[in-house]
Amino acid sequence: DQQVKQNSPSLSVQEGRISILNCDYTNSMFDYFLWYKKYPAEGPTFLISISSIKDKNEDGRFTVFLNKSAKHLSLHIVPSQPGDSAVYFCAASAIGANSKLTFGKGITLSVRP
Amino acid sequence: DTAVSQTPKYLVTQMGNDKSIKCEQNLGHDTMYWYKQDSKKFLKIMFSYNNKELIINETVPNRFSPKSPDKAHLNLHINSLELGDSAVYFCASRKRFQETQYFGPGTRLLVL
């Protein structure tokens, strides 16, 4: 039973345009959400996160939006750069001492020069 | 200055063998994890240790035995390896009460 879903397996965008990566979750206990970026043969790298008390968090070219009522979050990358080409994982946790991350399957982003 | 390191990076072995994977973090974190990324690319938690104490065990076969000699190290020993154990194993760590986890580079295990 997938509690975190990334329904689009891949996305291709032109350099300079906006990339929008979507993520849905089903567990209402989740209250913290993270995006990780992963290059081949490397470990996931933390990108940006958001707490459920916020609906937006921005860090440079990366913005994460959270819609709690829809149980949906999205990562916006603008402008997209070729170096952003990677697999992006959405993850969620229920805050606590024994928290664990539940990951989506990942989206492969390709940014065309 | 690697934050979370794993050894080995690649491991090829025969069915039935016993092998270990090691993880070390120099971030001063007190919680460490093992995740498995299978052929379908899902990253799933296996174990979590906090200050050398096991706090999460996600119904992993008991052929897998984690060991934490101190809070900077978390090792994974696998007995009687099976073909289905082939996967990438990632170690991660975080500071207690902070949600962000930091991952190692992964160990690619292939069981023949």
Side-chain angles (χ1 to χ4, degrees), chain A residues 2 4 32 34 36 38 40-44 46 49 89 93-101 103-105, chain B residues 9-10 31 33 35 37 40-43 45 55-56 58 90 94 96-97 99-106 108:
Chain A
Q2 279 181 258
V4 178
Y32 200 84
L34 308 91
Y36 284 84
K38 186 181 178 305
E42 294 185 11
F46 170 70
S49 62
F89 289 96
S93 72
I95 293 176
N98 295 345
S99 75
K100 61 183 183 182
L101 293 181
F103 282 85
K105 198 172 178 179
Chain B
K9 188 162 185 180
Y10 298 96
T31 305
Y33 300 82
Y35 287 84
Q37 186 179 33
K40 294 182 180 177
K41 304 301 182 188
F42 277 106
L43 264 163
I45 188 166
I55 56 173
I56 296 175
E58 289 285 311
F90 289 101
R94 71 176 176 104
R96 195 167 189 182
F97 302 121
E99 295 305 304
T100 302
Q101 294 183 23
Y102 296 88
F103 284 77
R108 284 137 194 89

Side-chain angles (χ1 to χ4, degrees), chain B residues 16-49:
Chain B
N17 283 351
D18 303 339
K19 290 292 178 187
S20 291
I21 307 171
K22 295 187 176 183
C23 177
E24 177 181 359
Q25 53 93 7
N26 61 6
L27 296 167
H29 292 168
D30 36 30
T31 305
M32 296 184 72
Y33 300 82
W34 279 111
Y35 287 84
K36 178 181 180 181
Q37 186 179 33
D38 59 23
S39 57
K40 294 182 180 177
K41 304 301 182 188
F42 277 106
L43 264 163
K44 291 185 180 173
I45 188 166
M46 300 174 69
F47 300 103
S48 174
Y49 268 76

Side-chain angles (χ1 to χ4, degrees), chain B:
Chain B
D1 60 343
T2 306
V4 183
S5 59
Q6 294 179 229
T7 53
K9 188 162 185 180
Y10 298 96
L11 185 52
V12 181
T13 188
Q14 298 288 329
M15 248 179 17
N17 283 351
D18 303 339
K19 290 292 178 187
S20 291
I21 307 171
K22 295 187 176 183
C23 177
E24 177 181 359
Q25 53 93 7
N26 61 6
L27 296 167
H29 292 168
D30 36 30
T31 305
M32 296 184 72
Y33 300 82
W34 279 111
Y35 287 84
K36 178 181 180 181
Q37 186 179 33
D38 59 23
S39 57
K40 294 182 180 177
K41 304 301 182 188
F42 277 106
L43 264 163
K44 291 185 180 173
I45 188 166
M46 300 174 69
F47 300 103
S48 174
Y49 268 76
N50 180 263
N51 276 328
K52 304 191 295 177
E53 181 186 346
L54 179 67
I55 56 173
I56 296 175
N57 181 341
E58 289 285 311
T59 59
V60 178
N62 57 15
R63 297 184 295 105
F64 290 78
S65 52
K67 281 190 173 50
S68 181
D70 56 62
K71 71 176 191 177
H73 295 84
L74 180 61
N75 304 323
L76 184 64
H77 188 77
I78 315 171
N79 288 327
S80 303
L81 278 155
E82 300 177 356
L83 294 176
D85 297 333
S86 296
V88 184
Y89 292 84
F90 289 101
C91 176
S93 72
R94 71 176 176 104
K95 200 167 182 60
R96 195 167 189 182
F97 302 121
Q98 292 184 5
E99 295 305 304
T100 302
Q101 294 183 23
Y102 296 88
F103 284 77
T107 295
R108 284 137 194 89
L109 171 65
L110 178 60
V111 182
L112 302 174

